Amino acid sequence: MSKLILCIDGGGIRGAAATQFLARVEQALQAQHQVSLRDRVDFYAGTSTGAIIALALATTNLSMKKINALYNARNARTIFTENRGFLEWDGVNAPKYESAGKTRVLKEYFAEATLQQAVASHRHAMAITYGVEYHQPVIIKSTEPHHLGLSSAAIADASTAAPTYFPSRPLLFPPDNQTRWLIDGGVVANNPAMCALAEARRLWADTPLNSIRMISVGTGKQARKTNGPASQKWGALQWMRQGHLIDVLSDEQLVTYQMLSLLEQGRCIRVNALMREQPGMPNPPDDAMDDISADNIKKLKDMGDLWFTLYGQQTVDLIMDEYNGPSLDAMDSVTGKPALFKKG
């Protein structure tokens, strides 16, 4: 039987574009086929802000409309509460933002949800984090029995703890009750698609690769240019402040290439765009993960609407296993159309 994986990238407030796109997709599914995303998706994977979306779909009953509404200016101001500690330079010798607001909003939306809810609903979920003590990725997943009792809110809180932006988060892991200190999984896999595909191959070992479909939704690609000649003389501080090191570490393009190359032609759609002026997007949103102005959030939602115009029907068809076109990649910034992925 064909299986469907939905993956969502990290990107902070830029997740508003992904939720807007998915909310529009769900509307179309309900109008055309009287089904929802939850009726069709078998496996959800997310990193950082993508983990919030994936876990909300997999472990709660929140509608996609409600999940989309989470990305608003009021919640964003609560989540991105500036750290005002004495003699602390935001993002330099202390996290730029406090953690309390983010933790509170996530608890409000997820309530008592755990990964067990995903399994109980015959679906699976995965969130990518990174353990700072032992320098290794920590992949939290419903296919691991010891993870089933973990709180969805706590998992999302850890996966969104972007270094320099938010404090690392502790999470108690059974069965030995070991506390792991976790940060944003975007430092190793901002696009969780390959992690999800690897786990899917283990989970569904008898399912041929050509029976696996994937929808991979980005949050926009960085458009700002780094000063190449100047970077020769940068140290740690300059790379962090001027070179946007976290953005470099969380680039998703290599994983996108791997994903599109491995999956069969026409079995994968990658939704994303370079965040600069181009056909269809004359006023692009800011590519910062923490520009929480109402104007920028609106621009992010507008980008999600544009994605639906360009990718929406193809995505609906792939969800229903009725798509007969080529695999699609991120928008070509010259033409303003989805790029067609060709192997070889």
Side-chain angles (χ1 to χ4, degrees), residues 2-326:
S2 180
K3 301 292 186 179
L4 177 63
I5 304 170
L6 174 61
C7 299
I8 307 110
D9 289 12
I13 193 59
R14 302 199 319 258
T19 58
Q20 181 71 12
F21 171 74
L22 290 171
R24 294 288 304 276
V25 167
E26 178 135 291
Q27 288 177 342
L29 281 169
Q30 292 169 339
Q32 297 176 27
H33 302 283
Q34 295 75 54
V35 298
S36 68
L37 279 169
R38 286 190 179 91
D39 295 325
R40 303 295 299 180
V41 177
D42 301 291
F43 197 115
Y44 300 87
T47 300
S48 193
T49 198
I52 295 175
I53 303 164
L55 290 167
L57 283 166
T59 68
T60 78
N61 291 320
L62 292 171
S63 67
M64 196 58 239
K65 181 178 179 180
K66 179 77 170 179
I67 298 168
N68 189 29
L70 188 158
Y71 289 80
N72 63 60
R74 180 180 177 183
N75 280 341
R77 286 192 297 271
T78 301
I79 292 170
F80 292 92
T81 300
E82 290 189 9
N83 188 358
R84 300 187 182 279
F86 182 64
L87 293 180
E88 291 183 345
W89 300 343
D90 294 348
V92 178
N93 70 337
K96 187 175 181 180
Y97 302 106
E98 299 175 354
S99 62
K102 176 163 69 76
T103 301
R104 186 167 64 252
V105 170
L106 291 172
K107 285 182 176 179
E108 176 187 342
Y109 276 82
F110 283 103
E112 302 302 317
T114 68
L115 286 184
Q116 181 64 52
Q117 271 75 33
V119 175
S121 302
H122 307 288
R123 48 186 177 248
H124 285 283
M126 167 188 287
I128 313 300
T129 70
Y130 186 83
V132 298
E133 299 148 297
Y134 302 104
H135 309 287
Q136 61 183 200
V138 178
I139 299 175
I140 304 173
K141 54 192 180 181
S142 60
T143 53
E144 170 52 62
H146 294 312
H147 292 177
L148 293 178
L150 294 177
S151 157
S152 297
I155 297 168
D157 205 7
S159 188
T160 55
T164 77
Y165 288 92
F166 291 103
S168 55
R169 302 299 296 155
L171 192 59
L172 190 67
F173 282 83
D176 55 1
N177 292 326
Q178 180 186 18
T179 298
R180 301 292 301 272
W181 286 89
L182 305 175
I183 61 172
D184 193 319
V187 299
V188 287
N190 199 50
N191 178 347
M194 288 304 295
C195 295
L197 184 58
E199 190 64 26
R201 298 298 285 156
R202 295 178 59 205
L203 178 63
W204 303 311
D206 295 331
T207 300
L209 191 61
N210 63 6
S211 292
I212 293 180
R213 294 164 288 139
M214 181 177 288
I215 297 164
S216 174
V217 184
T219 60
K221 296 193 286 185
Q222 293 278 339
R224 65 189 69 186
K225 185 179 179 181
T226 297
N227 189 324
S231 69
Q232 297 178 91
K233 300 178 181 180
W234 287 350
L237 181 62
Q238 290 89 346
W239 269 108
M240 185 174 68
R241 303 294 285 184
Q242 297 171 247
H244 307 285
L245 184 59
I246 299 302
D247 297 328
V248 173
L249 293 173
S250 61
D251 187 82
E252 45 70 42
Q253 294 175 87
L254 180 59
V255 169
T256 298
Y257 172 77
Q258 294 167 332
M259 166 191 71
L260 287 164
S261 297
L262 285 173
L263 289 168
E264 295 291 320
Q265 182 64 262
R267 307 302 276 176
C268 181
I269 292 177
R270 170 64 173 172
V271 181
N272 211 8
L274 187 64
M275 299 174 73
R276 71 181 186 195
E277 185 177 343
Q278 57 190 286
M281 195 158 58
N283 297 298
D286 184 0
D287 62 8
M289 66 166 280
D290 59 348
D291 184 341
I292 60 171
S293 65
D295 179 65
N296 193 58
I297 293 173
K298 180 183 183 302
K299 289 180 178 179
L300 288 164
K301 302 269 187 175
D302 289 344
M303 185 166 73
D305 285 332
L306 174 64
W307 289 351
F308 181 76
T309 299
L310 297 172
Y311 296 91
Q313 190 57 53
Q314 298 96 315
T315 300
V316 168
D317 291 345
L318 185 60
I319 289 171
M320 299 305 299
D321 205 4
E322 296 174 351
Y323 181 62
N324 296 312

